Amino acid sequence: MSEIFGYVGALLIGLILGLTGGGGSVLTVPILVYVLLIDPVLATAYSLFIVGTTSAFGATQNYFKGLVDIKTGIIFAIPSFIAVFVTRRFILPRIPDTIVETATLLLTKDKFLMAFFAIVMLFAAYSMLKKPKLVLREITRKKYLLNLVIQNSIIGVIIGLVGAGGGFLIIPSLVLFAKLPMKKAVGTSLFIITINSLIGFLGDASNPSIDWDFLMIFTSISIIGIFIGIYLHRYINEKQLKIGFGYFVLAMATFILFKEFYFV
C-alpha cells in the first residue's frame, strides 16, 4: 500500500513542477523517506535524479514554447552546480553519523538532514505565501556578478544537502537579477534545476545502494506528471495554486520537525 502512495506522490511531484516550475521537488524527499521508508541520505540522492530528469522534460517543453533563456540559465547554473557537486561529493560524506549526543538530545546525520530540509521547506512556503514585492534597482555589473555567484553558490549547497531542486529560490533570483518575465523565469528555472540536480547526482551515481529499477519507475511516473502539469498550467489560477501549495508545504515542514524531534 505504501508503494502505491509513493507512486501517487511521484505523479504529484511532476504535476507541481509542471505547474509552477519549482516547489514539487520539496515533496520528493518526504515521500521517499516517510512513505517509502528510504534512508534520508539515499533519498536526497534519489531526489536529485528524479527532479533533474523530470525537470529536463519540462524544460524541453518550455524551450519549444520560447520560455527558456539558455544563456541566462547557464550563467546562473555554473556557480550553483559546482556547489551542488562539491557538497554531494565532499561535504555530505564527511558529516558524522552522530553530530550531537547529550543526556537530552541525540542529533544524528539523518535527523540533521531532515530538520534542515524542513527549514528549507519553511522558506519555500514563505516565498509562495508572501505577496510579490520586487524592487528592480540598477546595480553595477561587478555587484551583479558578485551577488549572482554568492546567491547561487548558497542555493547549490542547499540543493546538495537536501536534494531539492531549489526552484523557489531560483525563480525570484531570475526575476530580480536577470529581469526575466515570470513565465520565462519558470521555464528557465526548470533548465537550471536540470543542470544542478543531474550534476549533483554524479557525486552519488556510483553508490551501490541505488535501486535503479525503482528509480526509473518513480522518475517515469513523475515525468508523466510534469507533462500533465504543463498542459493544465493554462487552465489553473497560478496565484491560488501557489497559495494553496504554500500552506501544504508549511504543514509538511511542521510535520517533519515534529516527527523528527518529538516522535519516539
Side-chain angles (χ1 to χ4, degrees):
M1 182 62 72
S2 63
E3 193 170 297
I4 294 173
F5 283 123
Y7 289 138
V8 171
L11 191 69
L12 183 62
I13 291 163
L15 184 66
I16 298 298
L17 275 168
L19 286 170
T20 67
S25 59
V26 299
L27 295 177
T28 312
V29 170
I31 289 170
L32 293 172
V33 172
Y34 297 123
V35 178
L36 296 171
L37 305 178
I38 293 171
D39 172 77
V41 176
L42 185 60
T44 59
Y46 280 1
S47 179
L48 287 172
F49 181 84
I50 294 162
V51 172
T53 306
T54 304
S55 297
F57 282 87
T60 301
Q61 285 284 95
N62 280 285
Y63 174 77
F64 288 119
K65 294 178 181 178
L67 296 177
V68 177
D69 188 325
I70 297 291
K71 182 180 177 181
T72 298
I74 291 173
I75 292 172
F76 270 65
I78 288 172
S80 54
F81 78 63
I82 292 172
V84 173
F85 183 81
V86 169
T87 301
R88 297 299 304 183
R89 192 73 175 85
F90 302 106
I91 297 176
L92 190 61
R94 284 169 173 75
I95 297 176
D97 291 334
T98 301
I99 299 172
V100 177
E101 184 174 8
T102 66
T104 57
L105 175 66
L106 175 62
L107 181 62
T108 63
K109 182 177 185 176
D110 289 349
K111 279 185 181 291
F112 165 75
L113 288 176
M114 295 310 298
F116 184 72
F117 188 86
I119 293 169
V120 171
M121 290 179 76
L122 290 175
F123 280 104
Y126 174 73
S127 73
M128 294 174 197
L129 296 173
K130 73 174 182 178
K131 294 181 180 178
K133 189 178 180 182
L134 297 175
V135 180
L136 301 178
R137 61 186 183 277
E138 293 298 322
I139 58 176
T140 64
R141 180 174 177 80
K142 184 177 180 181
K143 189 174 181 181
Y144 168 84
L145 291 173
L146 180 62
N147 288 341
L148 188 150
V149 170
I150 292 173
Q151 179 166 326
N152 285 283
S153 295
I154 293 171
I155 291 172
V157 172
I158 293 172
I159 294 170
L161 286 173
V162 303
F168 68 95
L169 296 169
I170 294 168
I171 291 174
S173 180
L174 288 169
V175 175
L176 180 60
F177 292 112
K179 299 182 181 179
L180 294 184
M182 181 56 73
K183 285 191 174 182
K184 203 159 193 175
V186 168
T188 306
S189 169
L190 288 172
F191 174 67
I192 297 170
I193 290 170
T194 300
I195 297 173
N196 286 343
S197 299
L198 293 182
I199 289 180
F201 179 74
L202 291 177
D204 297 89
S206 60
N207 188 336
S209 300
I210 292 176
D211 183 342
W212 285 101
D213 291 338
F214 161 77
L215 196 53
M216 290 303 176
I217 294 171
F218 195 98
T219 304
S220 298
I221 296 172
S222 187
I223 289 168
I224 293 170
I226 202 168
F227 281 121
I228 296 172
I230 291 171
Y231 174 78
L232 293 177
H233 182 78
R234 69 189 83 172
Y235 302 112
I236 292 178
N237 185 312
E238 186 176 346
K239 182 178 179 182
Q240 293 302 316
L241 173 71
K242 281 194 173 182
I243 291 173
F245 188 64
Y247 281 115
F248 176 72
V249 171
L250 181 62
M252 284 286 294
T254 304
F255 167 77
I256 290 172
L257 288 172
F258 186 74
K259 186 177 190 309
E260 291 298 326
F261 292 100
Y262 290 96
F263 284 6
V264 178

